[in-house]
């Protein structure tokens, strides 16, 4: 089993994903412990749809 990394919790109260299938596939890989390293980008938008903050995190398996 690869080394486990500890990150702070991220709680998404309302989310929009570019494609629901990609998120579901990623979630299944986590559940099956077959996740591969990848980059996760979380963007916060204001009421007009303009990005106000962006967080980027490289997730290692």
């Amino acid at each position: 089993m690869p080394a486990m990394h500890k990150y702070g919790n991220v709680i998404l109260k309302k989310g929009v994903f570019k494609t629901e299938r990609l998120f579901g596939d990623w979630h299944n890989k986590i559940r099956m412990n077959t996740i591969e390293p990848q980059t996760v980008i979380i963007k916060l938008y204001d009421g007009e749809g303009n990005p106000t903050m962006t967080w980027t995190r490289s997730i290692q398996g």
Side-chain angles (χ1 to χ4, degrees), residues 5-41:
H5 297 276
K6 180 78 174 162
Y7 297 103
N9 294 334
V10 175
I11 299 171
L12 302 175
K13 300 217 177 200
K14 179 181 177 185
V16 177
F17 301 96
K18 288 187 176 184
T19 62
E20 291 291 329
R21 183 166 183 228
L22 288 177
F23 180 75
D25 290 347
W26 181 64
H27 182 257
N28 286 335
K29 286 181 180 182
I30 293 170
R31 289 183 28 217
M32 300 299 291
N33 197 26
T34 58
I35 188 167
E36 300 167 358
Q38 53 185 248
T39 301
V40 175
I41 300 171

Side-chain angles (χ1 to χ4, degrees), residues 40-45 51-57:
V40 175
I41 300 171
I42 300 173
K43 293 184 180 184
L44 176 67
Y45 291 90
T52 58
M53 292 189 74
T54 301
W55 295 269
T56 303
R57 174 68 66 172

